Amino acid sequence: MKVLRHKIELLTGLLLQEMTMAGLHELRFTEEKPLLRGQDAELENSDVFLSTADTDWKTPYGLLHVVIRGSPKGNRPAILTYHDVGLNHKLCFNTFFNYEDMQEITKHFVVCHVDAPGQQAGASQFPQGYQYPSMDQLAAMLPSVVQHFGFKYVIGIGVGAGAYVLAKFALIFPDLVEGLVLMNIDPNGKGWIDWAAAKLSGLTSTLPDTVLSHLFSQEELVNNTELVQSYRQQIGSVVNQFNLQLFLNMYNSRRDLDINRPGTVPNAKTLRCPVMLVVGDNAPAEEGVVECNSKLDPTNTTFLKPGKLTEAFKYFLQGMGYMPSASMTRLARSRTASLTSASSVEGARPRACTHSESTEAMGQINHTMEVSC
């Protein structure tokens, strides 16, 4: 595989951008119909199936809130997203999926957003004594969603807790997962010291503040006060706090992901599909992501720290044969135009430090992106 090296600005906007509640216009999906599978050419320009659907889907371990955007595109996989603790699909992914380059991608795929139980906006509060699904059970809820909506397999995009769930899903049901983009994943369970610290934090901090310490580094909490305040307000008002506490408790009780790089231990078990790991500089999960990278097969793993996420995702999909060449040509033209503009404005300043490119994300962190495709 050829290794492409680019100096580019950060776009891990799922955790570092200001969130917007405007975006997806949702319709209530009530009628169950089988999805038809035809030729790629027929479905490519068709938007008659599940153009926008919003439903609570019953699984063996409880209800999942599922939102579908677009229609199946022949035999291409669906893009399935799973959000982090304290967020839901809107808070976590709206800004990212509304970005122009990402819309260039999603027109070729049907997108399935999954909200963890009770985390969607307007969710009813679980009763006292409700046993929230374990992380293994959250992963085991996904096959029924995939099968119900007629997806042959999926490409998963997960953030934090959602990345852990999707990794579990891929380990348990490898035939249903074509590829994974895992952002800020921590493959390690909490030890006794971490568990005690989390308990103490729960006694001395508000729930939104506890979640913020999971989403942001201490440096970011101090320096990005406006962004942090926006998150604090939305975490406290959009997601039901009782339900959120249950999800957070279960995430903090997770076990180590049972993965090891092939050849390091007998009968090593790891993710079989192509994986793109993403982590921001100084992110709380940075050490965890680095360790996860060390346990995956290097021949099908891409480590992005950080880079222009939409561009990297396009190359990731192209490597699996899912992005048409015309789209990649448009990407190259767009990239050339933006770099030419940046150079003319910034003069002799290094391109990696230009402000024009940093407007694509709230964060302004420069690093070398390494993409294998």
Side-chain angles (χ1 to χ4, degrees):
M1 286 190 170
K2 185 178 179 181
V3 178
L4 305 176
R5 295 180 181 273
H6 307 272
K7 282 283 188 177
I8 55 179
E9 295 286 337
L10 172 66
L11 185 66
T12 52
L14 306 185
L15 294 177
L16 300 177
Q17 294 184 46
E18 267 199 7
M19 293 295 146
T20 173
M21 292 306 296
L24 175 61
H25 174 63
E26 299 175 356
L27 303 175
R28 181 62 53 180
F29 178 74
T30 55
E31 183 179 8
E32 297 183 10
K33 293 182 178 180
L35 300 183
L36 304 178
R37 291 191 175 276
Q39 297 298 319
D40 283 6
E42 294 176 355
L43 288 178
E44 188 66 33
N45 298 316
S46 170
D47 202 31
V48 296
F49 309 111
L50 301 178
S51 57
T52 305
D54 178 343
T55 185
D56 291 326
W57 176 244
K58 187 175 181 180
T59 76
Y61 300 105
L63 293 177
L64 276 180
H65 182 244
V66 180
V67 173
I68 306 292
R69 297 180 65 180
S71 60
K73 311 296 184 184
N75 290 322
R76 289 178 185 167
I79 293 176
L80 186 147
T81 74
Y82 213 114
H83 59 87
D84 202 352
V85 167
L87 309 175
N88 52 41
H89 84 273
K90 285 187 174 182
L91 294 176
C92 197
F93 294 108
N94 260 17
T95 300
F96 179 58
F97 276 85
N98 286 336
Y99 186 65
E100 183 179 0
D101 276 2
M102 196 61 190
Q103 291 180 1
E104 174 70 26
I105 294 173
T106 56
K107 72 181 184 181
H108 300 289
F109 298 88
V110 59
V111 179
C112 175
H113 295 294
V114 175
D115 287 322
Q119 309 304 301
Q120 71 271 23
S124 300
Q125 182 167 307
F126 291 125
Q128 290 289 338
Y130 174 79
Q131 180 59 48
Y132 202 83
S134 67
M135 302 304 286
D136 284 15
Q137 290 171 334
L138 290 176
M141 297 169 85
L142 296 177
S144 65
V145 174
V146 173
Q147 293 161 7
H148 170 70
F149 288 103
F151 307 143
K152 186 177 180 181
Y153 33 71
V154 302
I155 295 173
I157 303 179
V159 183
Y164 182 97
V165 171
L166 291 184
K168 270 286 185 184
F169 173 49
L171 287 171
I172 302 171
F173 306 98
D175 292 339
L176 296 180
V177 182
E178 182 79 353
L180 288 174
V181 178
L182 305 177
M183 306 182 191
N184 290 347
I185 184 173
D186 188 344
N188 303 314
K190 285 187 176 293
W192 284 106
I193 295 178
D194 293 329
W195 179 85
K199 284 291 184 181
L200 181 61
S201 175
L203 295 175
T204 59
S205 304
T206 66
L207 181 57
D209 284 337
T210 300
V211 172
L212 287 171
S213 67
H214 163 74
L215 299 177
F216 295 95
S217 68
Q218 283 301 120
E219 181 181 353
E220 290 167 332
L221 290 173
V222 172
N223 296 332
N224 293 331
T225 55
E226 185 176 345
L227 177 61
V228 170
Q229 182 58 32
S230 174
Y231 269 83
R232 179 182 286 108
Q233 187 274 327
Q234 298 200 60
I235 292 169
S237 62
V238 175
V239 183
N240 182 282
Q241 299 296 279
F242 181 79
N243 297 354
L244 169 55
Q245 185 69 68
L246 294 178
F247 184 24
L248 178 62
N249 291 346
M250 195 54 67
Y251 176 65
N252 286 337
S253 301
R254 69 190 182 279
R255 297 177 296 177
D256 291 352
L257 279 178
D258 184 20
I259 55 174
N260 287 285
R261 177 166 290 184
T264 59
V265 297
N267 302 316
K269 185 178 181 182
T270 193
L271 296 172
R272 287 166 28 186
C273 63
V275 178
M276 183 166 77
L277 296 174
V278 183
V279 64
D281 281 344
N282 301 315
E286 185 174 6
E287 290 184 6
V289 178
V290 172
E291 181 172 345
C292 186
N293 183 57
S294 71
K295 294 183 176 181
L296 297 179
D297 185 346
T299 64
N300 64 1
T301 302
T302 298
F303 190 28
L304 179 63
K305 185 200 172 189
K308 185 179 178 186
L309 183 56
T310 49
E311 183 174 339
F313 187 44
K314 283 185 178 182
Y315 282 116
F316 182 68
L317 293 174
Q318 186 191 37
M320 291 189 288
Y322 289 119
M323 284 301 295
S325 57
S327 295
M328 300 308 296
T329 301
R330 285 192 294 272
L331 167 65
R333 286 200 301 265
S334 173
R335 185 66 182 157
T336 301
S338 66
L339 294 183
T340 302
S341 174
S343 298
S344 63
V345 172
E346 297 297 335
R349 288 183 62 191
R351 182 177 61 80
C353 299
T354 61
H355 177 72
S356 59
E357 286 180 286
S358 69
T359 58
E360 296 170 349
M362 293 297 296
Q364 299 182 16
I365 307 172
N366 309 308
H367 207 282
T368 299
M369 182 185 80
E370 188 168 293
V371 181
S372 300
C373 57

